Every structure is written in structure tokens, then in C-alpha cells.
Amino acid sequence: STSSVMLVLILSTLALYALTSFLFRSFSAHQSQLAKQFAASGQQALSRGDAERAVNDLRTSLSYAPDDMTNRLLLAESLARSNQLEQARSYFLGLLDAQPADGFLNLQLARLARERKDSRAAIDYYRAAAVGNWSGDSLRERYTVQLELADYLLQLNDRPSARAELLIVIADDTATTEIYTMLGEKFEQTKDPTDA
């Protein structure tokens, strides 16, 4: 009868829906598990200094979980450490689009710009890192960035700009005796005996 056929069709449809739903959940859980396994393997490889292996594992992890920001950041770091600078730069720029004021991302881009001999971009990224957002001891991070920028400016023979960065460090930091000694040595490198 027609009602029996309809009942069989409805029951078949419900059974197929339940099976499909179960398979999808099972597949998603499996993907999530694989993403975690490859991410953990990539982190271990990076901590061992095996950047090439870390790149491969983190790429695989991201193929299962493409929106994982932590693994995207780790992949960018791994690419930089394995000397794949343009790819690292692309990943860091993508992350910076989502967090333009992030101090760490700007610092990584500054270092990559230095590698590419793009001094203007490097200086701009260093300055963005120095005023950027940092987790943890932000004052210490900014201080470290400004010292790195001052050293870079000295390498470029831009002593006045290096001196200006060092003056900012002194104004910002609650310096200890050893920090003042180190800053004095840096002021001497800028040919500034008065501040030294």
C-alpha cells in the first residue's frame, strides 16, 4: 500500500540522515585529532631546532585546521628559521592584518626586512613593534626592541637616529646600574660622550 511505501521511504531517509551525520561527526573528530597530532609534532621539531620538519608538520596540521592562529604563527616562525623568508613574510603579514598593533609580529617583520636589506621597512616595523601590544612584560619587550633598533641604526651609520632611540629607552625604562652601563657604551658608539 501507499502508506507502507511512504513509511519505508521516511524510515530510510531518517536512517541515511543518521548515518551521514554520524560519519560527518566521526570525520570531523578525526580531522581535529590529526591537526593536534601534527601541531604537537611540529612544535617538538621546532623546539629541537628542526625547522624543516616543523614546517612540514605544521602545514599538515593547518590542512586539517586552517583557522588555527597559533599554528599559523608557529608555521611563520618555522619558515623564517628554515630560511624560507618570503613565505615567512607572507604568513606574518597575514597574521598582522588581523592584529596590526601586535608587537611580536611587527618585530618578526622588522627582522625579515633586515634580511631583505629593506632598511626603511625594517625601521618602520621596529618602531611599530616598540609601541605595539605585547603579552607579559611589555615595558621590557619595548625596551629590547628599541635597543635592537638602535643597534641596527648604528649598523646603518645613522648615529643621530640611534641616539634618539637610546634617549627614548632612558625615558621609558626604570633602568638598573648594568642597564645604564650598557646604554653608556651604546651612546659611546653613537659618538655621544655627553650622554654616555
Side-chain angles (χ1 to χ4, degrees):
S1 75
T2 311
S3 59
S4 303
V5 172
M6 287 297 291
L7 182 61
V8 168
L9 285 174
I10 290 170
L11 290 174
S12 299
T13 304
L14 289 173
L16 282 173
Y17 174 79
L19 179 63
T20 305
S21 181
F22 169 77
L23 290 174
F24 178 77
R25 281 197 304 276
S26 176
F27 178 72
S28 296
H30 184 63
Q31 273 194 313
S32 177
Q33 188 59 37
L34 285 172
K36 287 176 187 169
Q37 286 174 355
F38 279 103
S41 177
Q43 288 173 11
Q44 290 167 1
L46 192 58
S47 66
R48 286 192 315 266
D50 188 353
E52 292 286 339
R53 173 69 187 266
V55 166
N56 291 335
D57 287 347
L58 290 164
R59 277 196 169 129
T60 303
S61 175
L62 285 167
S63 72
Y64 294 115
D67 296 327
D68 189 311
M69 297 301 274
T70 302
N71 289 337
R72 287 174 64 193
L73 178 58
L74 286 170
L75 177 57
E77 289 181 60
S78 302
L79 287 164
R81 287 192 198 175
S82 65
N83 232 17
Q84 299 177 54
L85 303 183
E86 280 309 308
Q87 289 183 40
R89 183 172 172 268
S90 293
Y91 269 92
F92 279 123
L93 285 170
L95 291 164
L96 191 68
D97 279 345
Q99 301 172 327
D102 187 279
F104 177 79
L105 295 175
N106 278 291
L107 178 58
Q108 301 314 305
L109 286 162
R111 291 172 176 167
L112 289 171
R114 279 178 75 164
E115 292 281 334
R116 291 184 3 259
K117 309 284 189 243
D118 186 349
S119 58
R120 183 73 260 151
I123 291 166
D124 289 344
Y125 283 124
Y126 271 124
R127 289 195 171 133
V131 298
N133 298 327
W134 291 88
S135 58
D137 187 352
S138 60
L139 188 63
R140 174 67 52 190
E141 297 290 355
R142 289 184 178 109
Y143 163 81
T144 304
V145 168
Q146 284 169 312
L147 287 181
E148 191 173 320
L149 173 54
D151 284 340
Y152 180 54
L153 291 166
L154 285 170
Q155 286 176 18
L156 296 174
N157 280 324
D158 186 351
R159 287 188 171 89
S161 295
R163 180 180 178 277
E165 292 301 324
L166 292 172
L167 289 172
I168 292 169
V169 169
I170 287 175
D172 283 350
D173 195 54
T174 52
T176 62
T177 305
E178 59 221 48
I179 290 172
Y180 276 124
T181 303
M182 187 257 302
L183 287 172
E185 290 167 3
K186 291 202 180 296
F187 274 119
E188 284 179 353
Q189 292 174 24
T190 68
K191 307 288 191 236
D192 186 350
T194 307
D195 283 318

Short mmCIF file of all heavy atoms in Angstrom, two decimals, residues 127-151:
data_model
loop_
_atom_site.label_atom_id
_atom_site.label_comp_id
_atom_site.label_asym_id
_atom_site.label_seq_id
_atom_site.Cartn_x
_atom_site.Cartn_y
_atom_site.Cartn_z
N ARG A 127 59.71 50.34 14.78
CA ARG A 127 59.01 51.40 15.53
C ARG A 127 57.59 50.96 15.88
O ARG A 127 57.09 51.25 16.97
CB ARG A 127 59.02 52.69 14.73
CG ARG A 127 60.44 53.27 14.71
CD ARG A 127 60.52 54.70 14.26
NE ARG A 127 61.87 55.19 14.50
CZ ARG A 127 62.59 55.87 13.63
NH1 ARG A 127 62.09 56.17 12.44
NH2 ARG A 127 63.80 56.29 13.93
N ALA A 128 56.92 50.25 14.96
CA ALA A 128 55.58 49.72 15.26
C ALA A 128 55.66 48.69 16.39
O ALA A 128 54.78 48.63 17.26
CB ALA A 128 54.96 49.10 14.01
N ALA A 129 56.71 47.87 16.40
CA ALA A 129 56.88 46.88 17.47
C ALA A 129 57.12 47.55 18.81
O ALA A 129 56.61 47.11 19.84
CB ALA A 129 58.05 45.94 17.13
N ALA A 130 57.88 48.65 18.79
CA ALA A 130 58.22 49.34 20.04
C ALA A 130 56.99 49.96 20.71
O ALA A 130 56.95 50.08 21.93
CB ALA A 130 59.26 50.42 19.78
N VAL A 131 55.99 50.32 19.93
CA VAL A 131 54.77 50.90 20.51
C VAL A 131 53.60 49.90 20.47
O VAL A 131 52.49 50.23 20.86
CB VAL A 131 54.35 52.21 19.80
CG1 VAL A 131 55.42 53.27 19.95
CG2 VAL A 131 54.02 51.97 18.33
N GLY A 132 53.89 48.69 20.02
CA GLY A 132 52.84 47.69 19.83
C GLY A 132 52.39 47.02 21.12
O GLY A 132 52.91 47.30 22.21
N ASN A 133 51.41 46.15 20.98
CA ASN A 133 50.88 45.38 22.11
C ASN A 133 51.75 44.15 22.33
O ASN A 133 52.07 43.44 21.38
CB ASN A 133 49.44 44.93 21.83
CG ASN A 133 48.52 46.12 21.64
OD1 ASN A 133 48.69 47.16 22.25
ND2 ASN A 133 47.54 45.96 20.77
N TRP A 134 52.08 43.90 23.58
CA TRP A 134 52.87 42.73 23.96
C TRP A 134 52.18 42.02 25.10
O TRP A 134 51.60 42.65 25.97
CB TRP A 134 54.27 43.16 24.42
CG TRP A 134 55.13 43.69 23.32
CD1 TRP A 134 55.20 44.98 22.89
CD2 TRP A 134 56.04 42.95 22.50
NE1 TRP A 134 56.09 45.09 21.85
CE2 TRP A 134 56.62 43.86 21.60
CE3 TRP A 134 56.40 41.60 22.45
CZ2 TRP A 134 57.56 43.45 20.65
CZ3 TRP A 134 57.34 41.20 21.51
CH2 TRP A 134 57.92 42.13 20.63
N SER A 135 52.28 40.69 25.10
CA SER A 135 51.79 39.97 26.27
C SER A 135 52.96 39.85 27.24
O SER A 135 54.11 39.80 26.83
CB SER A 135 51.29 38.58 25.87
OG SER A 135 52.33 37.85 25.25
N GLY A 136 52.68 39.82 28.52
CA GLY A 136 53.75 39.71 29.51
C GLY A 136 54.31 41.09 29.86
O GLY A 136 53.58 42.07 29.97
N ASP A 137 55.64 41.16 29.99
CA ASP A 137 56.33 42.39 30.41
C ASP A 137 56.51 43.31 29.21
O ASP A 137 57.55 43.31 28.56
CB ASP A 137 57.67 42.01 31.04
CG ASP A 137 58.38 43.21 31.66
OD1 ASP A 137 57.92 44.35 31.47
OD2 ASP A 137 59.41 43.00 32.33
N SER A 138 55.49 44.09 28.91
CA SER A 138 55.52 44.91 27.69
C SER A 138 56.61 45.97 27.74
O SER A 138 57.22 46.30 26.72
CB SER A 138 54.16 45.55 27.44
OG SER A 138 53.79 46.37 28.51
N LEU A 139 56.89 46.53 28.92
CA LEU A 139 57.94 47.54 29.03
C LEU A 139 59.29 46.94 28.66
O LEU A 139 60.06 47.54 27.90
CB LEU A 139 57.97 48.11 30.46
CG LEU A 139 58.88 49.30 30.66
CD1 LEU A 139 58.44 50.49 29.82
CD2 LEU A 139 58.91 49.70 32.14
N ARG A 140 59.57 45.75 29.15
CA ARG A 140 60.83 45.07 28.84
C ARG A 140 60.91 44.74 27.35
O ARG A 140 61.96 44.91 26.73
CB ARG A 140 60.93 43.79 29.69
CG ARG A 140 62.11 42.90 29.40
CD ARG A 140 63.43 43.50 29.75
NE ARG A 140 63.47 43.99 31.10
CZ ARG A 140 64.46 44.73 31.59
NH1 ARG A 140 65.47 45.06 30.83
NH2 ARG A 140 64.44 45.15 32.83
N GLU A 141 59.80 44.30 26.76
CA GLU A 141 59.80 43.97 25.33
C GLU A 141 60.08 45.22 24.49
O GLU A 141 60.87 45.19 23.55
CB GLU A 141 58.47 43.33 24.90
CG GLU A 141 58.15 42.01 25.57
CD GLU A 141 59.04 40.87 25.12
OE1 GLU A 141 59.87 41.06 24.21
OE2 GLU A 141 58.91 39.78 25.69
N ARG A 142 59.42 46.32 24.84
CA ARG A 142 59.63 47.57 24.09
C ARG A 142 61.08 48.04 24.21
O ARG A 142 61.68 48.50 23.24
CB ARG A 142 58.67 48.64 24.61
CG ARG A 142 57.25 48.38 24.23
CD ARG A 142 56.32 49.51 24.67
NE ARG A 142 54.98 49.22 24.23
CZ ARG A 142 53.98 48.89 25.03
NH1 ARG A 142 54.18 48.84 26.34
NH2 ARG A 142 52.79 48.62 24.56
N TYR A 143 61.61 47.93 25.41
CA TYR A 143 62.99 48.31 25.69
C TYR A 143 63.93 47.49 24.80
O TYR A 143 64.83 48.04 24.16
CB TYR A 143 63.24 48.09 27.19
CG TYR A 143 64.65 48.03 27.63
CD1 TYR A 143 65.38 49.20 27.84
CD2 TYR A 143 65.28 46.81 27.86
CE1 TYR A 143 66.68 49.14 28.26
CE2 TYR A 143 66.58 46.75 28.29
CZ TYR A 143 67.29 47.91 28.48
OH TYR A 143 68.58 47.86 28.90
N THR A 144 63.71 46.18 24.74
CA THR A 144 64.55 45.29 23.93
C THR A 144 64.45 45.65 22.45
O THR A 144 65.46 45.67 21.74
CB THR A 144 64.13 43.82 24.15
OG1 THR A 144 64.21 43.54 25.55
CG2 THR A 144 65.02 42.86 23.40
N VAL A 145 63.24 45.94 21.97
CA VAL A 145 63.05 46.32 20.57
C VAL A 145 63.80 47.61 20.26
O VAL A 145 64.47 47.72 19.23
CB VAL A 145 61.54 46.47 20.23
CG1 VAL A 145 61.34 47.14 18.88
CG2 VAL A 145 60.85 45.12 20.27
N GLN A 146 63.70 48.60 21.15
CA GLN A 146 64.37 49.88 20.89
C GLN A 146 65.89 49.72 20.89
O GLN A 146 66.59 50.36 20.09
CB GLN A 146 63.92 50.93 21.90
CG GLN A 146 62.52 51.42 21.55
CD GLN A 146 61.89 52.26 22.63
OE1 GLN A 146 61.91 51.90 23.81
NE2 GLN A 146 61.33 53.38 22.23
N LEU A 147 66.42 48.85 21.75
CA LEU A 147 67.86 48.59 21.72
C LEU A 147 68.27 47.91 20.42
O LEU A 147 69.30 48.24 19.82
CB LEU A 147 68.28 47.73 22.91
CG LEU A 147 68.30 48.40 24.27
CD1 LEU A 147 68.75 47.42 25.34
CD2 LEU A 147 69.20 49.62 24.26
N GLU A 148 67.45 46.94 19.97
CA GLU A 148 67.74 46.26 18.70
C GLU A 148 67.68 47.26 17.54
O GLU A 148 68.53 47.23 16.65
CB GLU A 148 66.75 45.12 18.49
CG GLU A 148 67.14 44.20 17.35
CD GLU A 148 66.24 42.97 17.25
OE1 GLU A 148 65.87 42.39 18.29
OE2 GLU A 148 65.94 42.57 16.11
N LEU A 149 66.71 48.16 17.58
CA LEU A 149 66.61 49.18 16.54
C LEU A 149 67.83 50.12 16.60
O LEU A 149 68.41 50.46 15.55
CB LEU A 149 65.32 50.00 16.69
CG LEU A 149 65.16 51.20 15.77
CD1 LEU A 149 65.33 50.83 14.30
CD2 LEU A 149 63.81 51.88 16.00
N ALA A 150 68.24 50.52 17.81
CA ALA A 150 69.42 51.39 17.94
C ALA A 150 70.66 50.70 17.36
O ALA A 150 71.45 51.33 16.64
CB ALA A 150 69.64 51.76 19.40
N ASP A 151 70.84 49.41 17.66
CA ASP A 151 71.98 48.67 17.09
C ASP A 151 71.90 48.64 15.57
O ASP A 151 72.92 48.80 14.89
CB ASP A 151 71.98 47.23 17.63
CG ASP A 151 72.49 47.14 19.06
OD1 ASP A 151 73.18 48.08 19.52
OD2 ASP A 151 72.18 46.13 19.73
#
